[in-house]
Amino acid sequence: MTFRQSDATNVVMPQIETILTADMSRADALAIAELLIRIWPRPGVTVEDRADKLQTNRGDQNPPPEIASRSFVIRDAGRVIGHALVFPRTIGTTAGEMTIAALGSVCTDPNYRGQKLGERLVQSAWRGVDEGLLPFSLFQTSQTAKQFYDRFGCLLVENQVTDSTAEDPTACPFKDDHIVRYPGRNRDWPTGPIDLRGPGY
């Protein structure tokens, strides 16, 4: 299924909705969770479980409204077919504290791929970085998905990344193959260890 009109010269671009985590309805959380479960099924993890997590703010408490935790959603006939989550996370670095845009749960329904929905979702999620509200976006990705993010000028993070709030504060909180940053306006990225100050996402 596509969004193309009968006139092949015109393409209907699906609208991207912005849903603040603090305002997310249970119905929206469940609709997004259904997509996430289809893309990343996990033994014992239900749609309800994923919906609970979506409605939990994983970022800084009481951030400025313009960078507050939010989901970007694309629907077709009411069904969620694309999603990206971004929230502010203040991390510890050798250059001092830095509040970054944490990116996660970026996915599109396989039946709609090839329509650049993923590109539009991450561009929306990174708007705060592009506008200078946040210096970077920091996230994890697989080897396969890294090629997608390379198109946007994303760079590998080679710093040691830890979580001082974890049971093992020396372990890396990310599980995917690569830790990546979207540089925005190319501000200087700090050298030395990075304390994520919370679980991976």
Side-chain angles (χ1 to χ4, degrees), residues 28-157:
D28 281 338
L30 289 168
I32 297 167
E34 287 177 4
L35 173 65
L36 300 184
I37 286 289
R38 287 201 309 274
I39 302 299
W40 297 297
R42 296 178 185 171
V45 178
T46 67
V47 170
E48 292 281 349
D49 295 334
R50 293 305 296 263
D52 289 344
K53 195 169 184 180
L54 282 163
Q55 291 186 285
T56 303
N57 187 346
R58 287 173 275 171
D60 293 353
Q61 298 300 309
N62 303 313
E66 61 270 21
I67 62 169
S69 176
R70 64 197 64 204
S71 284
F72 296 90
V73 174
I74 297 175
R75 303 182 205 247
D76 183 25
R79 182 167 171 253
V80 173
I81 60 166
H83 175 261
L85 169 69
V86 68
F87 56 90
R89 171 75 68 83
T90 298
I91 60 175
T93 81
T94 55
E97 290 189 339
M98 177 185 292
T99 302
I100 53 87
L103 179 73
S105 301
V106 178
C107 60
T108 58
D109 187 309
N111 293 326
Y112 294 79
R113 288 181 184 162
Q115 300 182 44
K116 300 187 182 299
L117 303 185
E119 292 183 13
R120 294 183 61 221
L121 285 164
V122 297
Q123 286 170 334
S124 294
W126 287 333
R127 190 168 295 128
V129 179
D130 291 335
E131 294 176 354
L133 299 174
L134 296 162
F136 296 96
S137 179
L138 181 68
F139 57 102
Q140 63 179 325
T141 188
S142 65
Q143 177 62 38
T144 302
K146 178 182 174 297
Q147 300 171 35
F148 167 78
Y149 292 108
D150 286 345
R151 300 180 218 162
F152 300 95
C154 291
L155 303 169
L156 283 175
V157 171

Side-chain angles (χ1 to χ4, degrees), residues 168-180:
D168 180 358
T170 65
C172 180
F174 288 123
K175 305 302 180 188
D176 266 336
D177 300 327
H178 301 293
I179 303 171
V180 181

